[in-house]
Amino acid sequence: MSWLERLRRFKGNPVHGKEFRERFRLRRTVWIMTIYLTVIGAVMLGFMYLELMDQSVFVPGEYRDFFIIFSGLQLVMIGFLAPGLSAGAISGERERQTLSILLTTQLSPLSIIGSKLISSLAFIGFLVWMSLPLYSFVFLFGGISPQEVATVFLFFVINIFFFGSLGLFCSTWMKRTGVSTVTAYAVTFLIVAGTGILIYFWAHFAAQLDWDLDHMLSFQLFVSLNPVYAFLTIFEDQLRNETMLKIDPWLIYACFYTAVSLLLIFGSAYLLNPLRRSRRKNDIIKN
Amino acid sequence: MIRTQQLTKHYGKTKALEDLNLHIEKGQVFGFIGPNGAGKSTTMMILSCLLLPTSGTAYVGGYNVLTHPEEVRQLVGYMPDFFGVYDNLKTTEYLDFYAGAYFIPKSKRPGLIADLLELVNLSNKKDAYVDSLSRGMKQRLGLARCLIHNPEVLILDEPASGLDPRARIELREILKELKRMKKTIMISSHILPELAEICDQIGVIEKGRMLACGSVEEMALRVKGIHVLLVRVLKERERAARILEEHPQVKQVDDQRDHLRVMFTGSKADQAALLKYLLAEEVPVVDFSADKENLEDVFLAITERMGS
């Protein structure tokens, strides 16, 4: 089958449509949207209120922290929602006893995984898109360049893609949605907090041994894989300048986790294939 | 249409299937009989490209299930013994989803779905949510789903399990219609008499081994040399039973209230002679036919013989 035909089939894949239809018919979806906007809006507006209530003079450009905090909050929500939403994509089909039927259709395991991922990620993307009006409050205060805004949104896309792929992989690997969700959150925690703790110990250990961490490539690369650090380097020139790396840490983060996401997607497709073993071609007999 | 050669499947040390050789001609209805864990579902899953065999080969429509799964999937409509549905979809949306999964053009789908819903008697439920359907209706919808890409082969794993008698009858009528449409059907069931009416061939499987395979009549003769006959009389049932018991070729007569079930060892010509004998004895016979509902006896006899 040609790549064009594969692309045409992927475009006509019915899984996205079914997933959107099913998701938006659930009352739970409305609650997720409401809670997402309420939490993110309340925290942001509350923070703004506390920061500004004692200020008598408004200086444009000095309030870029609002944008960073608001974006950080979005990142936390993405890390919280993306694995959870995709962790039931395949195991849910298995639990509903619909997976075997789906696998007997002409949809390939890769197209099933791809469309499941797209539908999960599209919903999270939709949540971020919904929060754009809240960003308008932050933009009022200025201090952020369009390039920083674009970079932050690209960073969100990469995180959505990675955490979604992680959840999907767990969902394909584990039989039960409960187990896959817990595993996906545990790995997310390890990536966020685990790498942070390791960096902390590494830094203290290095300080005792008088190691120059600013010129230690392995440490610089490892630090770049922490989402919080990578996120902060988008805004903080000082953090970027401290490193000996030629490229921005957030770019290393983006490249590494995009590659891991692709591995997770292909790994999921491999695990989903019920006939995963080498194939011998030209094996047709006359009926 | 379906062929397996030394098909074997092991789950660890458990032998689910052992050297299964099967040949089902195009347009035939093949009934698969066996207790739980006999290997029926394993065979069906291998034929539907859902399971790898440990050894051996399986072909559907001439295509090897391992090397040409895409072609096999296009030929096969598979209904598992237990399957779920997407609760938040309407019946037409449910079928439309699977039509999309077989890349059927959107323009053709409405007509196709309407026809299939009519075939399975669910036209009046086209706007109903799948969740609201009864088990029998869901089973019929599952059958419509199997037919969405017009497959030549239907593999139905216990399609009647858990259905009430009315739903079973409705399902059987649909299967008869599919048989008339020249579909090759492989069907398994625990309710053995259900298969008798529609099957051309039956295969008895136990502990992964095919014990016997052939038409219902052949199997009965091969195992015991016995045909089961149904005899209905207008009156004097007890006298008719006595006369039958005295006949040398009658092994046993069971009074089933509205009819007599006769175990008869003889050919079709002998059956005609038996009827003539009953009429000569002035027994008011209103029905005299071969009972196809003797699969249970066949199955028990075959498995008993193997056991001993």
Side-chain angles (χ1 to χ4, degrees), chain A residues 126-173:
Chain A
F126 177 67
L127 289 177
V128 174
W129 181 73
M130 265 192 343
S131 66
L132 282 181
L134 285 170
Y135 267 101
S136 62
F137 288 108
V138 180
F139 291 148
L140 277 176
F141 296 94
I144 290 291
S145 68
Q147 193 196 344
E148 281 174 322
V149 176
T151 310
V152 163
F153 275 88
L154 181 63
F155 193 74
F156 286 164
V157 169
I158 286 153
N159 279 287
I160 290 171
F161 185 50
F162 169 65
F163 289 117
S165 309
L166 175 67
L168 197 65
F169 182 79
C170 292
S171 181
T172 315
W173 192 22

Side-chain angles (χ1 to χ4, degrees), chain A residues 11 77 117 129 131 265 282:
Chain A
K11 199 172 151 242
M77 294 300 266
L117 183 67
W129 181 73
S131 66
I265 290 168
N282 307 319

Side-chain angles (χ1 to χ4, degrees), chain A residues 215-271:
Chain A
H215 292 91
M216 192 184 278
L217 184 66
S218 54
F219 181 76
Q220 298 292 335
L221 286 171
F222 187 74
V223 169
S224 303
L225 302 183
N226 181 274
V228 178
Y229 177 80
F231 172 73
L232 289 174
T233 58
I234 296 172
F235 305 100
E236 302 299 328
D237 293 337
Q238 197 193 338
L239 277 176
R240 274 206 299 267
N241 296 335
E242 273 175 6
T243 172
M244 62 176 284
L245 300 169
K246 295 273 186 274
I247 50 172
D248 286 349
W250 77 266
L251 263 175
I252 294 172
Y253 177 91
C255 292
F256 179 79
Y257 284 105
T258 304
V260 174
S261 304
L262 290 173
L263 279 177
L264 290 172
I265 290 168
F266 283 107
S268 305
Y270 175 77
L271 288 176

